[in-house]
Amino acid sequence: MNKSEYKKGVFYIIFSAFCFALMNLFIRLSGDLPTLQKCFFRNFFAMMIAVFSLIKSKTPLRIGKGNTKYLVARSLSGGLGMICNFYAIDHMAISDASMLNKLSPFFATVFCVFIMKEKANRYEWTALIVAFIGALFVVKPTFDVEAIPAFAGLAGGLGAGLAYAFVRKLGTRGENSMIIVAFFSCFTSLMLLPYLIFNYQPMTAVQWLFLCLTGLAAAGGQIGITNAYSKAPAKEISVYDFSIVIFAAMLGFVFLDQIPDIFSIIGYIIIIGTAVAKWYFTIRSDKNTKNYGV
């Protein structure tokens, strides 16, 4: 693979992680607003950017035959995952919420077994189990209401993993990536609109500003990750996506005075270590396959 393209891929995915960490910070800084209201404006601003991009690139607003059901499934699972993730961000350290959301690739492995009929090898199943153990250190499961945000964060990662599996399905069916982004933003905005109409809470100028910044950061993250995977294979650069935890921890410390506890740090090490090990075995397996001419 071209080294220049690989470096660009790494840059874009780290840029994407930074944007999503900023998005999480802006969600928290937007203050005491209903989670669903925050979700609506995040998607509404992202929808405008996605539609503008489609119009500017003169991409036909056309869905591939038979893809609508997968787009709806992707939007429902991704939308519910987003709601859970936003709730977690509002009620726990943003680095913890970011880490739980980044369990999505491990969950995607499981869902792809059923949706894509892909076969997971023993390394992937082992990685899933170990990553889940790491998640328990972050969640610190208890039987009181304080554990609800952590379980919401875990559910957010699960929903995102299911959404990614449907995105992969759509990709194999030739659906345009910007159509997928635009459909998701439009679908979730319409899904949340009834709640907003009947439960809208007035916002200050500062809250409007932070929600606008949330949408811009989300768009930046989406553009970054789309560019990253167009430059290099996901299996070779996806591990860099975990840099979001470092960015989120730094932003949380500087702007919110948040410091992860020792159990969360242990969980980070286990999950990121598992992702690095999975990446290493994937790369080594590919090299062995090439060496043997398979």
Side-chain angles (χ1 to χ4, degrees), residues 9 35 49-50 57-58 79 95 100-101 110 116 134 171 182 196 210 214 227 229 235 244 257 273 288 293:
T35 298
I49 294 170
S57 63
K58 298 181 180 179
S95 56
L100 292 173
N101 192 251
V110 176
M116 298 293 298
L196 187 75
F210 280 126
T214 296
N227 280 315
Y229 290 139
K235 62 187 176 184
I244 187 176
D257 294 324
N288 289 339

Side-chain angles (χ1 to χ4, degrees), residues 64-175:
K65 185 178 180 180
N67 286 346
T68 302
K69 60 184 177 183
Y70 297 115
L71 284 167
V72 170
R74 179 265 182 271
S75 299
L76 278 173
S77 54
L80 292 173
M82 176 191 62
I83 291 169
C84 291
N85 182 42
F86 274 38
Y87 181 84
I89 290 167
D90 269 338
H91 295 86
M92 63 191 302
I94 59 173
S95 56
D96 283 2
S98 298
M99 186 76 267
L100 292 173
N101 192 251
K102 283 303 166 188
L103 288 171
S104 53
F106 298 104
F107 287 122
T109 299
V110 176
F111 289 124
C112 279
V113 171
F114 302 99
I115 295 170
M116 298 293 298
K117 308 302 179 185
E118 294 178 346
K119 292 184 178 179
N121 58 40
R122 68 178 185 275
Y123 294 120
E124 290 171 321
W125 286 116
T126 302
L128 177 67
I129 294 169
V130 175
F132 187 77
I133 292 172
L136 292 178
F137 280 91
V138 180
V139 172
K140 296 177 278 289
T142 59
F143 295 98
D144 56 35
V145 293
E146 292 184 1
I148 293 176
F151 283 110
L154 192 61
L158 189 146
L162 180 56
Y164 290 155
F166 281 117
V167 168
R168 177 156 168 70
K169 179 73 173 179
L170 286 160
T172 61
R173 293 175 62 86
E175 191 59 75

